[in-house]
Amino acid sequence: GDSVTQMEGPVTLSEEAFLTINCTYTATGYPSLFWYVQYPGEGLQLLLKATKADDKGSNKGFEATYRKETTSFHLEKGSVQVSDSAVYFCALSGGNQAGTALIFGKGTTLSVSS
Amino acid sequence: GAGVSQSPSNKVTEKGKDVELRCDPISGHTALYWYRQSLGQGLEFLIYFQGNSAPDKSGLPSDRFSAERTGGSVSTLTIQRTQQEDSAVYLCASSRRGDTQYFGPGTRLTVL
């Protein structure tokens, strides 16, 4: 079945460091890809998404490009801030048809220190 | 409404008791999803509603779990005869048909 694999955490960085969180997927068809973020004590928030190959999703300085050839959707940010400390989840859904459940990776905890 | 709301935010119950968790989706969102977040299993899909019907119940872990949705809006997830392994955060999400899912803050369930 479909699955998502993301790098194990925790990831610990200093402020202004470059961030990469790796995510690869296995899916039939042409899934949509997502990054969700969960700040301490809060619910899941959509960070960015991409719905087809070579699309780049971006938000709040974060970017991820849908790479069909490598089945990847790595999350990057050029300069992290303390406020970026959170758990990041990579996810896919099987397509734009209604009712497709999200399949999540196990989450990567990011801790940024000043 | 402004976002997906869930109640209660926390629920502590004794093993063997029944619990009901409530979800209010974003107004106009016809699709509603329940997920469970636990330390051991990560984020798991439980059930999906389109309107009041549930075409996909494949994620419900046992027959102790059930859910309903009325008026195409509010949904209730019921867990009967709770077990300690049911302890988790239960998340609800809603979307327009085929669109991005937006999540509520979750209900933290603790079974003693």
Side-chain angles (χ1 to χ4, degrees):
Chain A
D2 296 353
S3 65
V4 174
T5 302
Q6 61 182 104
M7 61 188 287
E8 298 277 337
V11 174
T12 304
L13 295 173
S14 298
E15 208 165 22
E16 299 183 3
F18 184 85
L19 169 71
T20 299
I21 301 177
N22 291 336
C23 172
T24 57
Y25 67 91
T26 302
T28 55
Y30 302 94
S32 294
L33 301 174
F34 306 82
W35 279 99
Y36 281 84
V37 58
Q38 189 171 36
Y39 297 102
E42 298 185 16
L44 280 169
Q45 300 177 25
L46 177 67
L47 181 59
L48 53 84
K49 69 177 184 180
T51 58
K52 62 183 187 295
D54 298 326
D55 269 1
K56 177 185 284 188
S58 61
N59 186 25
K60 299 181 181 180
F62 291 88
E63 294 183 338
T65 301
Y66 188 144
R67 301 287 188 198
K68 190 170 185 299
E69 64 276 13
T70 54
T71 61
S72 66
F73 192 56
H74 304 322
L75 182 68
E76 296 182 336
K77 187 175 185 182
S79 176
V80 294
Q81 305 300 310
V82 172
S83 57
D84 294 327
S85 297
V87 182
Y88 293 81
F89 293 91
C90 185
L92 69 82
S93 68
N96 287 329
Q97 63 203 37
T100 305
L102 286 166
I103 296 170
F104 288 91
K106 292 192 179 298
T108 302
T109 300
L110 170 66
S111 179
V112 181
S113 58
S114 58
Chain B
V4 179
S5 61
Q6 293 185 245
S7 61
S9 56
N10 280 285
K11 177 71 176 179
V12 179
T13 190
E14 293 179 348
K15 178 181 172 182
K17 295 287 180 68
D18 298 352
V19 296
E20 286 189 351
L21 312 180
R22 176 188 168 105
C23 172
D24 273 284
I26 293 171
S27 178
H29 282 192
T30 56
L32 186 147
Y33 304 77
W34 283 97
Y35 295 84
R36 178 167 73 172
Q37 185 175 22
S38 58
L39 279 175
Q41 301 299 322
L43 275 154
E44 307 169 275
F45 165 75
L46 298 178
I47 188 170
Y48 151 68
F49 287 91
Q50 179 59 41
N52 291 336
S53 63
D56 189 353
K57 304 179 184 179
S58 62
L60 293 178
S62 76
D63 59 7
R64 295 185 296 104
F65 287 71
S66 63
E68 65 175 14
R69 189 180 185 194
T70 55
S73 181
V74 172
S75 176
T76 303
L77 177 69
T78 301
I79 309 173
Q80 296 179 307
R81 306 181 303 281
T82 52
Q83 304 295 312
Q84 289 182 331
E85 61 263 28
D86 299 334
S87 295
V89 177
Y90 289 82
L91 296 169
C92 176
S94 71
S95 73
R96 297 187 189 281
R97 188 176 178 89
D99 203 351
T100 301
Q101 295 178 35
Y102 294 91
F103 284 79
T107 294
R108 181 175 297 278
L109 174 66
T110 303
V111 182
L112 302 176

